[in-house]
Amino acid sequence: MDIHEYQAKEILARSGVPIPRGGLAYSPEQAAFHAREMGGKVWVVKAQIHSGGRGKAGGVKICRSEDEVRDAAASLFGQTLVTAQTGPQGKCVYRVYVEEGTDIAQEMYLGLVLDRKSERIMIVGAAEGGMSIEELAAEKPDALVRMVVDPAVGLAEYQSREFAFALGLAPGQVPKMVTVLRACYRAYRDLDATMVEINPLVVTASGDLMALDAKMSFDTNALFRRPAVAELRDRSQEDPREAAAQDAGLNYVGLDGDIGCMINGAGLAMATMDMIKQAGGEPANFLDVGGGASPERVLRAFRTVLGDARVRVMLVNIFAGINRCDWIAEGVVQAYRTLGITMPVVVRLSGTNVDEGRAILAASGLPIITADTLADAAREAVAARAAA
């Protein structure tokens, strides 16, 4: 689960990360009020969407008067920002964050992520910030500083000092970087985060460190024990298909194709999408219906996939172990009749109770296309899409 910049900053500030003063606004007048309340001569108005690259998309505006703040906020509200991370559909702006200007002497990058290879939290930093870390890694890979944290020990102060010196910070700034690093690590560890990113982390003209932008992501599977984090969820920034699937307890990722998929097992789902591509089609989604799927769960999965108006064909691929093919078949028949499906449906069943499942499909009298292998199912789905 992602959260907004202002929410991430509030969390990091509570842990001890210095941030500029700012205020959240839902209207242009409220934005101007925050600028007047903070005082000063320069303010930054930032669109709050779940995406990086907002500046390049016109979502960050520097203002030098209250009127400019008001006008900047008015121009952002209701605007759809398209960035490299949002995809072509973009994301709509419903709130802005007004922040006091900062006198910047240097910009740096700081990020904490899960390194799955070492099974550790990895801290990544660079003396050059304010740009995409992907671009920096591609153009200047040697500029990145990496450090792995042993979970049995945690982030030690000596590690933080070594990291600060590796970034080329002055001796007087090293203790401040130690504070920032340890604060970020505590927030990551204590809230079941999967990413903490500060870009840029700046050195101000007075030599202080300040987080000018922040992003945090959290482990969705751990939200049940982090109710305060779960409350930060903003559904307006989520793919409605994925939000509906999550509410139904399904593992779903929306894609851009038109062949809907319902599969059990993440590995089989990936293989199925590959086979659809190889056959010349485009999958509309990843959906793992899970083990022990009842007919009711299959119906929910169908309803979720068909909620995407782009879907023209439905492909069901089940290799039953814990699952039972007869349950899946009953669910497919129930979904076909309950939802009034008119599009082609391709079903491939294998494993536990496969003969019973195929018999249920055959006895239904419905125009369901069956296949014996995954390759056959993919070809049938692509052919049905071409004929639709």
Side-chain angles (χ1 to χ4, degrees):
M1 185 189 81
D2 296 327
I3 61 175
H4 289 292
E5 171 198 358
Y6 75 93
Q7 295 168 326
K9 282 183 173 177
E10 289 173 358
I11 291 174
L12 295 178
R14 287 196 294 268
S15 296
V17 177
I19 64 171
R21 291 184 301 163
L24 184 66
Y26 293 92
S27 70
E29 290 300 325
Q30 195 175 14
F33 170 78
H34 284 310
R36 184 165 57 253
E37 188 178 42
M38 285 184 284
K41 297 180 179 179
V42 179
W43 303 270
V44 184
V45 180
K46 302 180 178 181
Q48 295 299 287
I49 62 171
H50 290 174
S51 174
R54 293 170 296 164
K56 293 181 179 179
V60 177
K61 300 180 182 293
I62 299 175
C63 306
R64 290 176 171 80
S65 71
E66 289 181 27
D67 288 339
E68 287 187 18
V69 170
R70 184 183 294 105
D71 293 342
S75 70
L76 289 173
F77 282 118
Q79 180 180 342
T80 298
L81 293 184
V82 178
T83 74
Q85 297 179 14
T86 63
Q89 73 278 5
K91 291 188 177 180
C92 191
V93 180
Y94 297 104
R95 62 190 85 178
V96 300
Y97 189 59
V98 183
E99 193 171 73
E100 65 182 351
T102 302
D103 193 356
I104 301 172
Q106 179 188 353
E107 294 186 353
M108 298 178 292
Y109 173 88
L110 177 63
L112 285 77
V113 295
L114 177 63
D115 178 27
R116 299 186 184 279
K117 183 176 181 180
S118 64
E119 300 180 351
R120 302 285 189 272
I121 296 174
M122 176 177 284
I123 302 178
V124 182
E128 301 177 38
M131 63 182 294
S132 167
I133 188 62
E134 292 84 6
E135 293 178 10
L136 184 61
E139 297 173 5
K140 301 179 180 179
D142 294 337
L144 298 182
V145 178
R146 296 180 175 88
M147 179 176 69
V148 175
V149 181
D150 186 335
V153 178
L155 179 61
E157 284 200 24
Y158 81 88
Q159 286 182 295
S160 301
R161 289 193 295 270
E162 289 178 351
F163 194 85
F165 280 118
L167 290 177
L169 291 174
Q173 295 162 349
V174 170
K176 298 174 183 178
M177 177 57 88
V178 170
T179 299
V180 169
L181 282 172
R182 291 172 67 81
C184 290
Y185 177 75
R186 283 195 301 273
Y188 188 110
R189 178 196 62 196
D190 296 345
L191 296 177
D192 290 307
T194 56
M195 181 193 72
V196 174
E197 183 181 75
I198 301 176
N199 186 25
L201 174 66
V202 304
V203 179
T204 67
S206 61
D208 294 322
L209 297 186
M210 192 81 70
L212 289 199
D213 194 4
K215 292 174 64 177
M216 291 187 72
S217 298
F218 299 88
D219 184 351
T220 306
N221 294 320
L223 291 180
F224 72 93
R225 63 183 183 187
R226 305 292 177 207
V229 174
E231 290 176 359
L232 302 178
R233 182 182 180 186
D234 183 359
R235 287 178 174 269
S236 72
Q237 298 295 305
E238 299 177 4
D239 185 323
R241 301 171 298 174
E242 296 180 10
Q246 184 177 342
D247 292 340
L250 299 169
N251 299 311
Y252 177 99
V253 178
L255 302 172
D256 297 327
D258 54 17
I259 298 179
C261 302
M262 190 195 82
I263 305 144
N264 68 314
L268 185 59
M270 297 296 289
T272 302
M273 291 190 293
D274 287 344
M275 291 300 292
I276 291 173
K277 292 280 288 186
Q278 187 173 358
E282 292 290 339
N285 64 276
F286 165 104
L287 190 148
D288 174 10
V289 74
S294 64
E296 293 74 25
R297 186 173 176 84
V298 172
L299 175 61
R300 289 200 301 272
F302 261 83
R303 184 175 284 115
T304 298
V305 174
L306 298 181
D308 184 349
R310 291 173 294 189
V311 173
R312 294 290 178 269
V313 177
M314 186 74 181
L315 171 59
V316 179
N317 182 26
I318 300 297
F319 189 89
I322 299 174
N323 266 317
R324 289 173 42 177
C325 289
D326 53 339
W327 286 352
I328 298 296
E330 288 175 8
V332 170
V333 172
Q334 182 180 343
Y336 208 109
R337 291 171 173 162
T338 302
L339 302 178
I341 296 174
T342 57
M343 69 179 63
V345 176
V346 180
V347 179
R348 180 254 181 168
L349 300 176
S350 181
T352 305
N353 291 357
V354 62
D355 292 333
E356 291 87 339
R358 290 174 177 171
I360 290 171
L361 294 179
S364 70
L366 297 172
I368 297 172
I369 303 169
T370 59
D372 293 329
T373 68
L374 172 53
D376 290 340
R379 284 193 292 269
E380 291 283 2
V382 172
R385 171 63 186 94

